[in-house]
Amino acid sequence: MSKKQSFLEGVATLTIATVIVKIIGAFFKIPLANIIGGVGMSYFSTAYDIFTPLYSIIVSGLGIAMARLIAESTAKRDICEEFAVLKSAKVFFFILGIVCSLLLYFCAMPLVKTIGNKAAYFSVLAIIPSILTSCISSIYRGYYQGKSNMRPTAISQVIEAVTKLFLGLGFAYFVKNKLMEDFYRTGNIFGNVFADEKQAELYTLRFSAAGAILGISISTIIGAVYVYFYYKKDRNKFNCPKIPKSLQRQTSRKLVSVGVPIALSTLVVSLSNLIDLVTVMNCLNIAVERNVDVIYSMYTGGIPNYITAADLPEYLFGSYSGLAHSIAMLIPSFATVLCVTAIPTVSETWEHGNIAKINEIVSMVLRITMIAVVPMGFALYLMSQHVLQFLYPLRVQESIVVSPILSIMGLNAIVISLSASINSVLQAIKREKTPLYLMVVGALIKVFINITLISKPEINIQGVPYGSLCCYIAVTLFGLISLQMGTGIKIDFMGIFIKPILCSVVTLGLTGLIYRKIPLANTPKLCVYMVLTALFYVFFVLFFGVIDKSDLNSLKINKNIIKTLEKCHIIR
């Protein structure tokens, strides 16, 4: 049927797609933040963070479970069981999508009230169609991921990103301008009269954010249509075997028994954002009530004059979630590529009981995760202010507020990425309950730190990244211990952790010295810095032997390049 890819071919396919998607996503979120600002981004982020746990259950949870079961069936060459899993998934995912959509529809208003952001209600309604279409996409993406074919997932993600870019930004811009035109013409919006233009503009942001969310919902529909027809075209090439009812019942039970623990563990991971959503807004309200003047004094030049005490929690939360969080979470997205690609490979190898091969694959997953995310996390820690100025030239005030937050989130991104890779391996070797327990502990730590720090006026929104940092450090450390206990898996701490960190420190130290001497304006200066950092880092990674010859062969690097690197004693 579909052509199977090697582990690193799958990584390469999804990495390229992820880079494209994230670049397009940046072209979406950065202009969106410039259009609707901190307050508007609070509505957008509220809807997105409510949707994320449901999406995680469907895509990251049950999708991973399905990929694992398909991989196991493929390893046994049992085509009948393979299609029994697919049939079970179709029924289960469709029912789940309907139930979750109805649940969110009826709970939308109570949720936004609990969060303390009632104006986000329209954005929450606009995201509901995404639930069912995400379910449909996950059926076929999970199927092909289980067969180690990452192309349908990669292409559908790019299609969704392009559609979201044009429709999301188009709807947001159109709605905002149309409502402001109504205000200029009639002096009101939907019958609401406002004292001045700025207050009217603040009111339009709830609808503009909903327009952006609606664009996202339509993009998921188009992505689902693509992956469905990809399967239909592929399906016509062979005859589907008749599936015995007993096997169908067995695979249905297996999908639930494997999928529910994985779904719950990924739900708890995404609940990290939901914890922020619930605790941050409410704790900011408490901080404002305690001493709003202290907060205003912290951000001289960072809060517009028209932002009142009532609007301040939304402004601070939207600045954090719309600017800092959007940038920092680009880094763990590369780890997600490894997670998705590793599941079928690790599952299939584990099924055969090949411990030596498992060690090799697990080491590769963790090592590539560290190689990819450590320099980006450290660079973000050092250059947060410059990055914000570069990306959000129209949101200077919001950038002042979140620059210190983004620095800490650069470190957060590293441990979040590593914990995601560890959890994916645990799930693949049939320890799907372990990440659930770990994330429950991490979530409790996060809730405690959020409530303790953010409620203090002198800390407020600046306390957010510390809760996440402590949460994911605990999850990562205990995850590494769990990964080695009773599995035969051994962790090479020098090759996986020390060498990538050393390469990153040397690279950033060198490029930091060069950055100060570059006689250019901020924007081109930052671009030169990024290019130099990438080039130096690749050199040091090769020089210190962080990547070896087998990695390059797996990635199908040109043999002449490999021979040249060998002659120069850069790789072994």
Side-chain angles (χ1 to χ4, degrees):
M1 191 183 159
S2 57
K3 183 182 177 182
K4 183 175 180 179
Q5 298 171 296
S6 71
F7 170 66
L8 284 179
E9 281 181 305
V11 170
T13 300
L14 278 187
T15 298
I16 293 169
T18 299
V19 170
I20 294 171
V21 168
K22 293 304 174 182
I23 290 172
I24 296 172
F27 279 109
F28 170 66
K29 275 199 171 181
I30 292 168
L32 181 64
N34 283 314
I35 292 170
I36 63 179
V39 174
M41 288 305 293
S42 78
Y43 308 141
F44 179 90
S45 299
T46 295
Y48 219 78
D49 288 345
I50 288 174
F51 169 70
T52 299
L54 298 174
Y55 185 82
S56 296
I57 291 174
I58 298 163
V59 178
S60 303
L62 295 171
I64 286 174
M66 183 182 175
R68 194 181 100 178
L69 294 179
I70 292 291
E72 290 174 2
S73 301
T74 302
K76 294 184 290 186
R77 300 184 184 279
D78 191 337
I79 189 72
C80 198
E81 182 180 279
E82 181 182 307
F83 279 93
V85 172
L86 181 60
K87 187 175 179 180
S88 298
K90 288 179 180 179
V91 175
F92 190 60
F93 276 56
F94 185 77
I95 293 172
L96 182 67
I98 296 294
V99 170
C100 288
S101 297
L102 292 173
L103 184 65
L104 185 54
Y105 176 78
F106 289 110
C107 294
M109 183 54 76
L111 276 172
V112 294
K113 285 181 178 178
T114 302
I115 291 163
N117 197 0
K118 289 190 290 185
Y121 175 70
F122 301 103
S123 294
V124 174
L125 291 182
I127 209 166
I128 290 175
S130 299
I131 298 174
L132 183 57
T133 51
S134 295
C135 284
I136 296 169
S137 293
S138 295
I139 295 167
Y140 302 106
R141 287 177 179 177
Y143 174 75
Y144 282 110
Q145 287 164 11
K147 297 185 75 64
S148 296
N149 180 359
M150 304 300 164
R151 292 185 186 89
T153 297
I155 295 171
S156 63
Q157 286 175 344
V158 172
I159 290 172
E160 285 185 15
V162 172
T163 307
K164 176 179 72 175
L165 172 66
F166 290 103
L167 294 185
L169 286 180
F171 288 165
Y173 184 79
F174 172 78
V175 170
K176 182 180 177 181
N177 282 1
K178 181 67 172 63
L179 292 179
M180 287 305 295
E181 286 176 10
D182 291 345
F183 171 74
Y184 294 136
R185 188 177 67 255
T186 65
N188 68 80
I189 300 174
F190 299 138
N192 297 288
V193 179
F194 301 95
D196 55 42
E197 179 183 334
K198 285 295 182 183
Q199 292 304 312
E201 185 177 343
L202 280 177
Y203 182 74
T204 66
L205 296 178
R206 64 191 67 189
F207 302 105
S208 185
I213 292 288
L214 183 60
I216 293 174
S217 291
I218 295 173
S219 75
T220 63
I221 294 171
I222 295 174
V225 168
Y226 166 79
V227 77
Y228 170 75
F229 279 105
Y230 184 100
Y231 170 77
K232 290 293 287 185
K233 183 179 178 181
D234 211 11
R235 166 72 178 77
N236 292 333
K237 297 176 184 177
F238 59 93
N239 294 319
C240 178
K242 187 176 180 180
I243 303 168
K245 289 185 178 179
S246 58
L247 178 60
Q248 188 64 64
R249 288 193 296 268
Q250 180 185 340
T251 54
S252 296
R253 287 194 297 268
K254 196 172 182 181
L255 180 64
V256 173
S257 64
V258 172
V260 169
I262 293 178
L264 288 174
S265 64
T266 53
L267 172 62
V268 175
V269 173
S270 67
L271 279 177
S272 174
N273 289 339
L274 196 55
I275 287 168
D276 277 346
L277 186 62
V278 176
T279 58
V280 171
M281 287 294 291
N282 285 297
C283 289
L284 285 174
N285 279 309
I286 293 171
V288 167
E289 289 173 5
R290 286 178 175 174
N291 197 332
V292 68
D293 293 332
V294 169
I295 300 176
Y296 277 121
S297 65
M298 279 182 65
Y299 305 113
T300 303
I303 301 176
N305 295 329
Y306 58 85
I307 298 294
T308 64
D311 300 320
L312 189 55
E314 294 175 357
Y315 176 79
L316 294 175
F317 175 72
S319 298
Y320 153 72
S321 59
L323 279 67
H325 189 268
S326 299
I327 296 171
M329 288 303 103
L330 290 174
I331 297 174
S333 63
F334 292 98
T336 303
V337 171
L338 290 173
C339 297
V340 170
T341 314
I343 291 290
T345 306
V346 175
S347 294
E348 188 173 338
T349 309
W350 185 261
E351 195 72 16
H352 291 305
N354 190 338
I355 297 299
K357 186 67 174 177
I358 282 286
N359 265 308
E360 181 184 332
I361 295 172
V362 170
S363 294
M364 188 183 297
V365 170
L366 298 183
R367 184 156 40 88
I368 293 176
T369 298
M370 290 294 288
I371 291 170
V373 303
V374 170
M376 292 190 286
F378 283 178
L380 198 55
Y381 175 79
L382 296 171
M383 305 292 288
S384 63
Q385 185 177 353
H386 301 281
V387 171
L388 287 166
Q389 289 173 353
F390 173 68
L391 294 177
Y392 300 102
L394 301 181
R395 293 296 167 184
V396 175
Q397 292 173 305
E398 287 92 334
S399 297
I400 292 171
V401 172
V402 300
S403 178
I405 298 174
L406 185 58
S407 287
I408 304 302
M409 291 186 74
L411 303 180
N412 279 355
I414 296 172
V415 287
I416 291 172
S417 302
L418 188 56
S419 68
S421 292
I422 293 169
N423 287 347
S424 71
V425 173
L426 287 168
Q427 290 163 358
I429 63 173
K430 301 185 179 181
R431 291 194 171 191
E432 56 272 353
K433 292 181 181 179
T434 302
L436 172 60
Y437 301 145
L438 295 178
M439 284 309 304
V440 167
V441 173
L444 292 174
I445 294 172
K446 185 178 179 66
V447 169
F448 174 76
I449 294 176
N450 274 10
I451 293 173
T452 303
L453 296 183
I454 301 170
S455 299
K456 295 181 178 181
E458 64 273 18
I459 298 178
N460 58 80
I461 196 68
Q462 302 298 324
V464 174
Y466 294 99
S468 294
L469 186 61
C470 294
C471 163
Y472 284 102
I473 286 175
V475 170
T476 300
L477 290 177
F478 288 120
L480 284 171
I481 294 169
S482 301
L483 193 58
Q484 297 178 88
M485 289 178 61
T487 62
I489 295 173
K490 299 185 184 301
I491 302 297
D492 174 18
F493 284 90
M494 176 60 72
I496 293 171
F497 300 106
I498 305 301
K499 285 186 177 180
I501 291 173
L502 177 63
C503 291
S504 300
V505 170
V506 172
T507 298
L508 293 170
L510 183 60
T511 53
L513 293 174
I514 296 173
Y515 179 80
R516 298 176 184 176
K517 305 294 183 182
I518 299 175
L520 295 172
N522 286 336
T523 296
K525 189 175 182 179
L526 184 62
C527 293
V528 171
Y529 169 81
M530 292 167 64
V531 171
L532 288 177
T533 299
L535 292 174
F536 280 122
Y537 184 67
V538 169
F539 171 78
F540 285 123
V541 162
L542 294 171
F543 182 80
F544 286 110
V546 185
I547 290 181
D548 57 27
K549 183 179 177 180
S550 62
D551 295 330
L552 297 178
N553 283 326
S554 297
L555 285 168
K556 300 187 182 300
I557 299 297
N558 185 280
K559 290 183 179 180
N560 292 327
I561 295 175
I562 295 175
K563 286 181 180 178
T564 302
L565 294 173
E566 281 185 297
K567 287 180 181 177
C568 297
H569 303 289
I570 293 176
I571 61 169
R572 59 181 186 277

